[in-house]
Amino acid sequence: MKKLSFWKADWFLGLLVAIVMLIAARGDLIQSLERKAYDLGVKAASRTPSDRIAIIAIDDVSIANIGRWPWSRDVHARMIDLLGGAKAKVIANTTFFFEPQRDAGLAYIEKLMVLQQQAAPADAGKPGAGDDVLTKIGGVLAEAEQVLNTDRKLAGSIKRAGNVVLPMIFQQLTEPQGNPDKPLPAYVSANSIALAGAGEWLPPPGILPIYPIAELGAAQPGIGHLNADHDVDGAVRAEPLLVRYYDRLFPALSLQVAARSLNLGVADLKPVWGEALQVGKLRVRTDAELRMHTFFYADRDGRPPFPVDSFFDVLSGKVPAAKYQDKIVLIGATAAGLGTAQVTPASPATAPVMTLAHTVSSILGEHFFITPSWGIWVQAGVFLLVALYLIVVLPRLKAGVAAVISLGIGIMLLGTHFGLMITQLMWVQLMGATALLAVGYAALTTKRFLVTERGKEKSDAESAESSRMLGIAYQAQGQLDLAWDKFRQCPLADPVMENLYSLALDFERKRQFNKAESVFRYMAEFNPKFRDLEQRLTRAKALSETVILGGAQGHPGGTVLLEGGGMEKPMLGRYQVEKELGKGAMGVVYLGKDPKIGRVVAIKTMALSQEFEGDELVEVKERFFREAETAGRLTHPNIVTIYDAGEEHDLAFIAMEFLKGRDLVPYTKKDALLPVQLVMSIVARVAEALGYAHQQNVVHRDIKPANIMYEPESDTPKVTDFGIARVTDSSKTKTGMVLGTPSYMSPEQLAGKKVEGRSDLFSLGVTLYQMLSGSLPFTGDSMAQLMFKIANEQHADIRTVNPNLPTCVAAVINKSLAKDPDQRYQTGEQMAKAIRLCLGTMNAPARPAAAVS
């Protein structure tokens, strides 16, 4: 049993790569490619950011001037008062106010106030020196407590502004294992919506919430979570618009800011589970877990997409607060060491407040990247198509074509990816398919190089024996030039000399004597006494100087056979030429033999290069082989079988069935006419053969007695030379003679009109006329007169030439020779039927074929 080696095939490697890449499709590597491609698409896309958003940065300048972080909360209170007075639309401070800010002196002040109240006399309302002192001390303590209680100041500023949004965070974004430790304060729950109707489409869960202190919550600010959604590579690309805490949903800080800028509250946030979040009239498209893929806006002229001012500059009045009227003001840290910079598609170090600005603008402008519901099917379909390309198509392509097609597919995939992102803000993940294409192409190319190309180069360079075997193989295939190249790569030794000697003889058979001389001369340099090398070299040299294949400078009938002994029988293709059978206008007919299967054939040669030149020669050759192929498809008992067609040097040849009989030309002489019944029988069978050919869309174009072979012993007529007339159709010889036989041509053929099957039937009618009468129906003193008669004059009634013919015979001839094709027999079968009906009316039987000589 033959050992299975399918695993070595290119298609198997393509399949293996596809399976591996399919398994790796959800792995970090492919997903990393998808994310990198996504980031590039984000950078390439362009949208205009909202001009309503402004950032006040807690930057290094502010830290240097105001003091070390964290600042006293009265600083934040002063900023909120400034912005509230300037009528800012929304103020979002990303600073965490999760614990009370207790000044160290405030505790002592509170203790002194308690003692002051305890030390006040019973008659504290009456005037007295001691009472006055304690009252003054109490006033000072109250004033100090007011100054040091910064939480109260900040709460007051938030309440006066009425449009402040503060952050909360969930310490872990994971499913809770039990029930909450305690209920959330009412001021926190008021900023959430109930979880209802979500079904399987649940937002990400969160536990262990941290929120602003109660004193600030009493001022009723808006509260939104500030949890970032980090990808596995640590980058922030999406915003979880809602986080699920048990049965409540908490909106993101960005969502709260956007909603309040539209005068909307949490009640106006309507989840469309699994696909979007409705914010008033805005529809924010999301993934199944209500994550929005934020649009990150590009810098403009080297500046951030949103205006950024220093906290200190605004607080000190250097930047007027009036600038922020009707603006969405985002306050956040950008100074080094404050907070953690985020990796985003826009920058590897984006301040969280800048990320917040991008997110708010994305919501308000409906600028967000979406993954369509049909995207997963497109991804799978494209992946499958690329896999099929690697398994089925790529292994069949040549290296250059494979590179061009693979590059084109890769460009198309990348173009589709970036085109959808840039124009439609649509993310369809095609990097898995692109990676499959790249890896598959690289794997197959490398495998071909390592297993085939490099192995072949190494074999050709280092292994003389392999080169010799290749030479033998090429020689057996008839590729003698390639065999010569391979044999020259081998060190000369007796086995190689035998191979070279055999090769030189093959060159002789091909009549390429100059090449035979080259081989003999190469051998003589090593061993001039090898066999009869000296005689062979002398003869090959003489012939290479005098003989040209096919007689290229002589008559097209020049033979390929040479007189004298000592020469190998010539070859035409794979056929060995035995002898010459005859000559025609275009070449010589030989008796040949296929040495592999012993089949005897007739080989008709055509020296096309003698009749045509340049582009016309190329066109005629193409037509020759096309017509030979068409004729070769005809299989009919009355059509000569075509076995092969080829070209040898300057000779085109057709190998066909060898017939023992001869053509019908001798039987057109008045003294050698065949019996009427036999002629009618032969023509009927020829008509059927033509009818079959016409059904195959093959027109002969040159029906005449010379192209109909007849073997009397078996009473078998056969039509030959299908397609030869078309090769030379409408062409002229070097002497200007029109190729073809005008006496048998139909009127439409002479007029240069489209030739179809009915033209062949006209020619067959002329042949029938000639074989029954010994004369042609149309004759003339000149070519022009002959052509005029065929086109315009009625032929002479055949019974004026042969009065013994039945009326039905004349009727068949008259109908077949009608000038108008529509008046003739329309098919060969019709003509054959009419002839056989005529035969049936004749009394005398046809003479047996064996009696015809």
Side-chain angles (χ1 to χ4, degrees):
M1 182 179 292
K2 185 178 179 180
K3 184 178 179 181
L4 293 177
S5 57
F6 66 88
W7 57 273
K8 296 181 180 179
D10 285 353
W11 68 263
F12 182 76
L13 179 59
L15 176 63
L16 185 63
V17 170
I19 294 174
V20 171
M21 294 301 291
L22 180 62
I23 296 173
R26 304 308 300 175
D28 289 344
L29 179 59
I30 302 301
Q31 289 305 303
S32 177
L33 289 175
E34 296 285 4
R35 288 188 290 270
K36 293 301 181 185
Y38 174 87
D39 292 348
L40 291 173
V42 172
K43 290 180 179 179
S46 177
R47 295 293 186 274
T48 303
S50 173
D51 59 0
R52 299 179 60 197
I53 299 174
I55 296 174
I56 296 179
I58 303 172
D59 55 5
D60 293 322
V61 173
S62 301
I63 298 294
N65 286 277
I66 297 176
R68 293 178 59 186
W69 186 265
W71 294 333
S72 175
R73 288 179 183 170
D74 63 340
V75 175
H76 295 285
R78 287 162 54 197
M79 178 60 74
I80 291 175
D81 286 338
L82 278 173
L83 297 174
K87 300 188 182 302
K89 184 66 178 178
V90 180
I91 305 168
N93 193 325
T94 61
T95 306
F96 294 145
F97 301 118
F98 297 160
E99 296 179 352
Q101 188 177 69
R102 303 287 293 176
D103 188 278
L106 180 60
Y108 292 102
I109 295 297
E110 290 175 343
K111 288 180 181 180
L112 289 172
M113 291 180 69
V114 172
L115 293 174
Q116 183 268 337
Q117 292 173 358
Q118 292 175 351
D123 54 352
K126 298 179 180 179
D131 183 26
D132 290 341
V133 173
L134 288 175
T135 300
K136 291 178 180 179
I137 292 173
V140 173
L141 291 175
E143 182 180 354
E145 191 271 341
Q146 185 69 29
V147 171
L148 294 177
N149 195 337
T150 55
D151 287 342
R152 187 183 303 160
K153 284 188 176 183
L154 180 57
S157 297
I158 292 172
K159 188 170 185 177
R160 285 190 295 276
N163 59 355
V164 177
V165 182
L166 297 179
M168 65 177 291
I169 62 170
F170 293 91
Q171 296 182 63
Q172 296 179 27
L173 294 179
T174 186
E175 288 285 354
Q177 300 300 311
N179 294 320
D181 295 332
K182 58 181 179 179
L184 293 174
Y187 67 87
V188 177
S189 297
N191 288 278
S192 66
I193 57 178
L195 173 63
E200 60 178 322
W201 309 109
L202 294 175
I207 59 174
L208 304 176
I210 307 176
Y211 35 81
I213 60 175
E215 191 163 2
L216 300 182
Q220 298 183 341
I223 298 176
H225 79 80
L226 200 58
N227 287 85
D229 186 67
H230 293 277
D231 276 335
V232 294
D233 62 350
V236 174
R237 297 180 178 87
E239 177 84 349
L241 295 181
L242 296 175
V243 169
R244 172 170 49 93
Y245 181 73
Y246 294 96
D247 59 348
R248 306 297 298 179
L249 299 175
F250 286 86
L253 183 66
S254 56
L255 188 58
Q256 280 279 43
V257 170
R260 286 176 178 264
S261 71
L262 299 173
N263 303 313
L264 302 174
V266 290
D268 298 302
L269 306 179
K270 307 293 184 182
V272 181
W273 300 112
E275 58 179 279
L277 181 68
Q278 200 74 30
V279 184
K281 293 184 178 181
L282 295 178
R283 187 179 181 86
V284 182
R285 295 286 299 276
T286 67
D287 65 9
E289 294 185 332
L290 295 182
R291 291 186 179 89
M292 179 191 75
H293 285 88
T294 304
F295 188 97
F296 288 88
Y297 303 87
D299 291 352
R300 295 177 293 179
D301 300 326
R303 295 178 298 173
F306 305 99
V308 179
D309 293 317
S310 171
F311 190 102
F312 175 75
D313 290 344
V314 177
L315 192 65
S316 63
K318 183 177 180 180
V319 175
K323 172 182 178 179
Y324 302 105
Q325 182 177 351
D326 294 327
K327 298 287 186 180
I328 299 171
V329 183
L330 308 179
I331 304 172
T334 63
L338 294 187
T340 302
Q342 297 174 334
V343 178
T344 67
S347 169
T350 304
V353 68
M354 185 63 73
T355 303
L356 178 63
H358 285 289
T359 308
V360 173
S361 181
S362 293
I363 295 172
L364 294 177
E366 292 184 295
H367 300 156
F368 32 76
F369 293 94
I370 62 173
T371 300
S373 58
W374 45 262
I376 185 67
W377 300 108
V378 172
Q379 294 163 210
V382 172
F383 190 94
L384 178 60
L385 288 176
V386 172
L388 290 175
Y389 168 73
L390 294 176
I391 297 169
V392 179
V393 180
L394 187 57
R396 303 172 184 266
L397 299 178
K398 294 183 179 179
V401 177
V404 172
I405 294 179
S406 300
L407 179 62
I409 295 174
I411 292 174
M412 182 177 65
L413 291 175
L414 293 175
T416 301
H417 168 83
F418 288 108
L420 290 174
M421 289 200 73
I422 293 171
T423 61
Q424 305 297 321
L425 300 185
M426 189 177 294
W427 183 28
V428 178
Q429 299 184 26
L430 300 178
M431 289 306 104
T434 306
L436 171 62
L437 176 66
V439 173
Y441 175 77
L444 264 68
T445 303
T446 302
K447 185 244 182 186
R448 284 181 179 180
F449 175 77
L450 294 177
V451 176
T452 306
E453 298 296 334
R454 192 174 67 182
K456 182 178 177 182
E457 291 173 3
K458 182 178 180 181
S459 175
D460 291 345
E462 299 179 5
S463 175
E465 182 61 21
S466 295
S467 294
R468 191 173 75 88
M469 297 306 295
L470 278 173
I472 293 172
Y474 284 135
Q475 183 181 354
Q477 296 168 10
Q479 301 182 62
L480 304 185
D481 291 328
L482 291 177
W484 177 215
D485 288 339
K486 290 302 176 185
F487 288 143
R488 278 185 296 184
Q489 295 176 14
C490 304
L492 286 174
D494 286 344
V496 179
M497 290 289 283
E498 291 290 347
N499 297 137
L500 289 170
Y501 187 83
S502 172
L503 177 65
L505 296 184
D506 278 350
F507 275 129
E508 283 188 353
R509 294 185 184 96
K510 296 288 187 180
R511 295 178 55 82
Q512 298 177 20
F513 300 110
N514 57 332
K515 295 181 179 179
E517 179 193 358
S518 298
V519 178
F520 286 137
R521 192 178 301 280
Y522 180 74
M523 296 171 62
E525 292 176 359
F526 176 73
N527 181 9
K529 300 299 182 181
F530 182 81
R531 297 177 64 170
D532 59 346
L533 182 58
E534 292 179 345
Q535 292 82 0
R536 289 282 182 180
L537 177 57
T538 301
R539 184 172 177 81
K541 181 179 179 182
L543 290 172
S544 67
E545 295 172 351
T546 58
V547 178
I548 300 177
L549 177 63
Q553 295 178 343
H555 187 272
T559 182
V560 300
L561 294 169
L562 294 176
E563 296 181 358
M567 292 302 302
E568 297 297 315
K569 289 184 178 181
M571 302 287 289
L572 286 175
R574 70 172 185 266
Y575 302 99
Q576 183 174 289
V577 177
E578 300 290 340
K579 67 178 181 177
E580 183 179 308
L581 294 176
K583 294 183 180 180
M586 291 295 293
V588 182
V589 181
Y590 299 98
L591 177 67
K593 184 178 182 181
D594 187 338
K596 290 186 178 179
I597 60 176
R599 173 187 285 160
V600 177
V601 297
I603 305 173
K604 177 166 287 191
T605 63
M606 299 181 71
L608 299 177
S609 60
Q610 296 182 34
E611 299 297 329
F612 307 97
E613 297 178 350
D615 293 340
E616 187 180 15
L617 176 60
V618 174
E619 179 185 351
V620 169
K621 283 185 179 181
E622 290 178 353
R623 192 188 306 167
F624 174 84
F625 289 113
R626 187 165 59 248
E627 293 297 327
E629 178 187 1
T630 302
R633 293 200 298 268
L634 300 178
T635 304
H636 191 275
N638 299 116
I639 296 177
V640 172
T641 303
I642 302 295
Y643 295 128
D644 195 6
E647 183 179 10
E648 191 69 53
H649 201 46
D650 60 350
L651 281 181
F653 68 87
I654 295 177
M656 63 186 69
E657 176 184 2
F658 174 70
L659 302 175
K660 295 180 180 179
R662 55 181 176 171
D663 61 43
L664 293 177
V665 172
Y667 305 118
T668 62
K669 310 302 179 184
K670 287 189 177 183
D671 57 351
L673 297 180
L674 296 173
V676 175
Q677 293 95 329
L678 181 57
V679 171
M680 298 288 280
S681 173
I682 290 172
V683 173
R685 284 175 280 174
V686 171
E688 288 177 333
L690 291 175
Y692 163 77
H694 297 161
Q695 290 176 5
Q696 310 303 315
N697 297 315
V698 179
V699 180
H700 191 288
R701 298 173 179 267
D702 195 19
I703 290 295
K704 58 186 178 182
N707 285 334
I708 302 173
M709 303 294 292
Y710 181 65
E711 186 179 336
E713 289 76 9
S714 62
D715 185 26
T716 304
K718 294 214 175 195
V719 184
T720 186
D721 279 4
F722 265 98
I724 298 300
R726 180 172 177 83
V727 173
T728 58
D729 192 29
S730 300
S731 301
K732 295 184 178 181
T733 65
K734 291 179 179 178
T735 60
M737 183 192 306
V738 176
L739 292 170
T741 314
S743 296
Y744 300 90
M745 289 185 179
S746 65
E748 63 269 23
Q749 191 172 4
L750 288 172
K753 297 180 180 179
K754 180 179 180 181
V755 176
E756 55 184 8
R758 293 176 296 182
S759 176
D760 283 347
L761 300 182
F762 182 94
S763 302
L764 185 59
V766 176
T767 301
L768 176 60
Y769 189 106
Q770 188 179 20
M771 292 187 68
L772 291 174
S773 66
S775 61
L776 289 166
F778 304 102
T779 59
D781 296 333
S782 66
M783 182 76 72
Q785 187 181 26
L786 172 62
M787 294 172 67
F788 179 82
K789 286 185 176 182
I790 293 174
N792 299 284
E793 295 186 4
Q794 187 68 24
H795 63 277
D797 191 325
I798 191 170
R799 284 178 297 177
T800 63
V801 183
N802 187 350
N804 298 322
L805 293 175
T807 304
C808 62
V809 173
V812 170
I813 291 175
N814 292 340
K815 187 173 181 65
S816 62
L817 294 183
K819 307 295 184 186
D820 184 357
D822 293 336
Q823 301 301 317
R824 297 178 205 148
Y825 295 107
Q826 299 301 296
T827 66
E829 288 79 7
Q830 286 183 7
M831 186 172 179
K833 183 178 180 181
I835 292 173
R836 289 200 168 92
L837 286 174
C838 181
L839 277 172
T841 65
M842 298 182 184
N843 295 324
R847 189 171 56 172
V852 179
S853 60

